[in-house]
């Protein structure tokens, strides 16, 4: 028996020991708290509470009870729970025997997180991620910036995976199938991320131009009277755009940036051969602003790589 075989056998033993320990702890919790066995009910309850939280926050904002920054934070927190529910749905943790309910939940959690790609496509990519984590075949992690140097492009991908990956394909000199890859990205991000990007970058452009005009003392509209008139006529539409950004888009960008930042740094890239080498635990105190908006992902996601069939709330309980 050569050294590599012995080394692999030892690594497999370690992985199996961790899996057994995680599973035992999960089973102990279910025995101690029998209500944890009602997985569908728990998933649906958390799903509905998150949506109620989003609608309640929107109502408070629209009626001027809370400021915009608190609105964005509260909706992003609810969105982080919905992301975990979607992730569990991808692994068929809820309503596997009731497909209409399962797929309806998949659609709704996507609609409330508009910067995420199609969850049915993501299911294929995510299951591939478990098989190929840490390698160049791991499309999911590469799609959020992992394996790439910390350039401006990586930061753009981390913030906006749709536009970032489009730019990545377009500027890549080695990609001789750019058109095909662009079409794939557009298909995977239709309709919500595309609509989200259109609204977000329109919002940024309009307020940038208006800011320059208002605060720098420059009449940037002199280049065309028609644009100035259009801007003034569209003020009611701009107010609506501001509301859409506050309630739908900005919370999703905040949540997805935090998640992508943690995920792309906790998953190792390169020289990964076993499950035990796929992830690290990121739980340093200074990462808590990020962890807050991705449901403590850095502390618990490593558990998922060892034992896939555990819902996210069990992972939170077994993490210690």
């Amino acid at each position: 028996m050569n050294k590599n075989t012995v080394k692999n056998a030892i690594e497999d033993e370690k992985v199996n020991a961790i899996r057994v320990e995680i599973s035992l702890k999960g089973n102990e919790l279910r025995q101690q708290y029998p209500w944890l066995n009602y997985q569908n009910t728990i998933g649906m309850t958390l799903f509905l509470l998150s949506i109620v939280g989003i609608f309640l926050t929107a109502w408070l904002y629209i009626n001027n009870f809370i400021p915009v920054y608190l609105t964005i934070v509260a909706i992003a927190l609810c969105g982080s729970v919905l992301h975990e529910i979607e992730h569990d749905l991808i692994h068929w943790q809820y309503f596997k025997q009731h497909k209409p309910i399962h797929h309806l939940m998949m659609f709704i959690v996507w609609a409330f997180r508009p910067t995420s790609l199609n969850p049915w496509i993501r299911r294929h990519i995510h299951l591939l991620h478990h098989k190929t984590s840490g390698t160049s075949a791991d499309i999911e992690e590469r799609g959020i910036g992992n394996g790439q140097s910390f350039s401006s492009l990586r930061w753009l991908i981390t913030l906006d995976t749709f536009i970032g990956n489009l730019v990545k394909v377009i500027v890549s000199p080695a990609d001789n199938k750019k058109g095909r890859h662009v079409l794939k990205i557009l298909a995977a991000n239709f309709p919500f991320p595309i609509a989200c990007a259109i609204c977000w970058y329109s919002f940024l452009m309009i307020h940038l131009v208006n800011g320059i005009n208002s605060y720098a003392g420059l009449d940037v509209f002199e280049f065309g009277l028609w644009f100035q008139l259009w801007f003034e006529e569209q003020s009611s539409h701009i107010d609506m755009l501001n509301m859409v950004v506050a309630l739908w888009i900005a919370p999703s960008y905040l949540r997805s940036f935090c998640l992508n930042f943690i995920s792309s740094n906790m998953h190792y890239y390169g020289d990964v051969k076993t499950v035990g080498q796929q992830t690290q635990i990121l739980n340093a105190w200074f990462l808590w602003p990020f962890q807050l908006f991705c449901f403590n992902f850095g502390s618990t996601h490593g558990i998922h790589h060892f034992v896939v069939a555990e819902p996210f709330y069990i992972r939170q309980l077994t993490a210690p």
Side-chain angles (χ1 to χ4, degrees), residues 231-300:
F231 188 87
E232 291 170 354
E233 289 172 0
Q234 300 302 317
S235 60
S236 62
H237 295 161
I238 292 169
D239 289 341
M240 179 62 70
L241 177 62
N242 291 340
M243 186 174 295
V244 168
V245 168
L247 299 178
W248 193 52
I249 296 172
S252 193
Y253 273 121
L254 171 61
R255 180 201 59 77
S256 60
F257 173 77
C258 292
L259 174 66
N260 293 340
F261 178 79
I262 293 291
S263 183
S264 63
N265 285 287
M266 75 167 295
H267 286 91
Y268 288 109
Y269 188 87
D271 198 30
V272 173
K273 298 179 177 67
T274 72
V275 172
Q277 298 169 355
Q278 290 176 357
T279 61
Q280 61 177 317
I281 296 172
L282 293 185
N283 58 2
W285 65 269
F286 53 83
L287 293 174
W288 269 106
F290 297 96
Q291 300 273 39
L292 186 64
F293 296 105
C294 62
F295 212 83
N296 197 27
F297 187 90
S299 297
T300 62

Side-chain angles (χ1 to χ4, degrees), residues 26 62 127 147 151 186-188 214 278 298:
I62 290 168
L127 296 180
S151 60
L186 291 172
S214 299
Q278 290 176 357

Side-chain angles (χ1 to χ4, degrees), residues 53-70:
I54 289 171
F55 278 117
L56 177 60
T57 303
W59 182 84
L60 291 170
Y61 171 70
I62 290 168
N63 289 279
N64 298 313
F65 288 111
I66 58 173
V68 65
Y69 64 85
L70 187 57

